[in-house]
Amino acid sequence: MPSDSHYRIERAELRDVSKQAPCQFCGRTKWCSVAIDGSIAICMHVSEGARTTTRNGGYLHILKPGIKSPGAVSMPALRIPTDFTKTVEHLLQHTGQESIAALAQMLGLRDPAPLRTLRMFWDPSARAWGFPMSDAQGLIVGIRYRNARGGKFAAKGSQNALFVPSGALEQPGPLYLPEGPTNSAALLQLGLRVVGRACAKMTSRHLLQLCRLLDVVVVADPDKAGREGARALASDVRLVAKSVRIIEPPAECGDARDWVTKFGARVEDVTARALAATPLQLRLAGRDDG
């Protein structure tokens, strides 16, 4: 039997899930798919029991071990996540407090503690500070870098995922979802419960399990891409969360970090804006909201 990484998945071999035949793993009626011969399924949300991750970010589930889809050929077509854990652990051990303090000062943070909870490290080979990105199970699936000039880039093989502070999910209160690690650090400085997302339009599959039955506040960057990404994310998260609100900093702020570090936002300012926001409502199937 060829390894799971040698399944070639052609569009003609798969059928989309539907209301009549929903995904057997997450129960959704769109986005996921199953092979016509019933040998494999690709779920966009549930990773438990999956063999690996497909190119489009879904999870491959083998339904009939030993059976390949019709017409499959032996060629790598699935992305097996790079093991970033050892790299991150090594760099964390060799990152001095002065490196953390230097980035905190550059970002305008009064305390480097939020950077430590985000497991920030200095990577001499990249000549940049790094932030590990994790999936919903805590596996490190990528690294986001920031250099001294503010340039941002990712390690080769990285997946866009989550910036999860140590102990974040054990804290009480609403879960705030800002964009990027430095916005996350700024909100952590206020004592909020925070998990950062890698980009404005990041798929929400990593967040669905984390947000289940929680009050969630999506923090949008105040620009077109930020608002569109926040609305798309909130719409998906609303299916599993207790409630979802969207907020953004005041118009004069570039992002959440500016709001905190340059305009002096306090925790009361952020929570008041969240409480004033209207919770996102579930859209009922077949309802015409227009």
Side-chain angles (χ1 to χ4, degrees):
M1 174 183 174
S3 69
D4 297 340
S5 61
H6 287 80
Y7 278 95
R8 182 182 182 185
I9 301 172
E10 303 283 358
R11 181 174 294 275
E13 299 167 5
L14 302 173
R15 63 171 174 78
D16 294 335
V17 296
S18 64
K19 291 181 180 179
Q20 292 72 32
C23 177
Q24 64 180 283
F25 296 98
C26 69
R28 287 198 168 188
T29 58
K30 59 181 181 178
W31 305 120
C32 306
S33 54
V34 64
I36 293 174
D37 69 349
S39 61
I40 61 172
I42 298 176
C43 178
M44 299 302 294
H45 308 286
V46 176
S47 63
E48 289 87 348
R51 298 293 184 92
T52 186
T53 309
T54 65
R55 280 180 174 173
N56 65 357
Y59 296 103
L60 172 67
H61 297 263
I62 308 299
L63 303 180
K64 295 181 180 179
I67 298 179
K68 292 169 59 178
S69 294
V73 297
S74 180
M75 62 173 286
L78 301 178
R79 182 175 61 193
I80 300 177
T82 304
D83 183 5
F84 291 100
T85 302
K86 291 183 179 179
T87 298
V88 170
E89 289 178 349
H90 172 77
L91 292 170
L92 281 170
Q93 292 174 0
H94 291 82
T95 297
Q97 295 301 314
E98 65 279 2
S99 295
I100 302 175
L103 182 58
Q105 183 177 13
M106 182 183 302
L107 297 175
L109 299 173
R110 65 172 183 267
D111 186 351
L115 299 178
R116 287 194 290 268
T117 64
L118 286 165
R119 296 176 291 171
M120 186 227 82
F121 55 84
W122 172 256
D123 187 341
S125 63
R127 302 188 68 179
W129 292 275
F131 295 86
M133 293 185 286
S134 305
D135 65 11
Q137 287 71 44
L139 175 67
I140 299 176
V141 296
I143 298 172
R144 175 69 60 83
Y145 286 108
R146 181 187 183 95
N147 62 28
R149 296 182 179 180
K152 303 170 186 176
F153 55 99
K156 184 178 180 180
S158 293
Q159 299 179 41
N160 280 337
L162 308 175
F163 303 102
V164 184
S166 302
L169 300 180
E170 300 170 4
Q171 298 178 13
L175 180 63
Y176 287 78
L177 304 178
E179 180 184 340
T182 61
N183 283 332
S184 300
L187 295 181
L188 284 168
Q189 179 176 278
L190 300 182
L192 296 170
R193 186 185 193 187
V194 176
V195 168
R197 49 201 168 95
C199 58
K201 294 187 177 181
M202 188 191 79
T203 175
S204 63
R205 65 183 175 85
H206 293 297
L207 286 167
L208 293 178
Q209 294 179 24
L210 298 184
C211 295
R212 190 172 299 279
L213 302 180
L214 295 180
D215 293 308
V216 174
V217 181
V218 179
V219 184
D221 280 358
D223 54 32
K224 181 179 179 181
R227 295 182 183 111
E228 290 179 352
R231 285 196 295 268
L233 174 65
S235 180
D236 281 349
V237 170
R238 181 63 190 94
L239 297 174
V240 298
K242 180 179 178 181
S243 70
V244 179
R245 291 174 166 85
I246 301 175
I247 66 169
E248 63 180 67
E252 62 269 21
C253 304
D255 53 24
R257 179 164 64 89
D258 274 356
W259 192 15
V260 174
T261 62
K262 295 182 180 180
F263 293 86
R266 303 165 301 168
V267 65
E268 294 85 0
D269 300 319
V270 179
T271 55
R273 184 159 292 223
L275 289 172
T278 302
L280 190 71
Q281 299 297 317
L282 276 175
R283 295 184 64 181
L284 300 178
R287 175 180 173 182
D288 183 4
D289 294 327

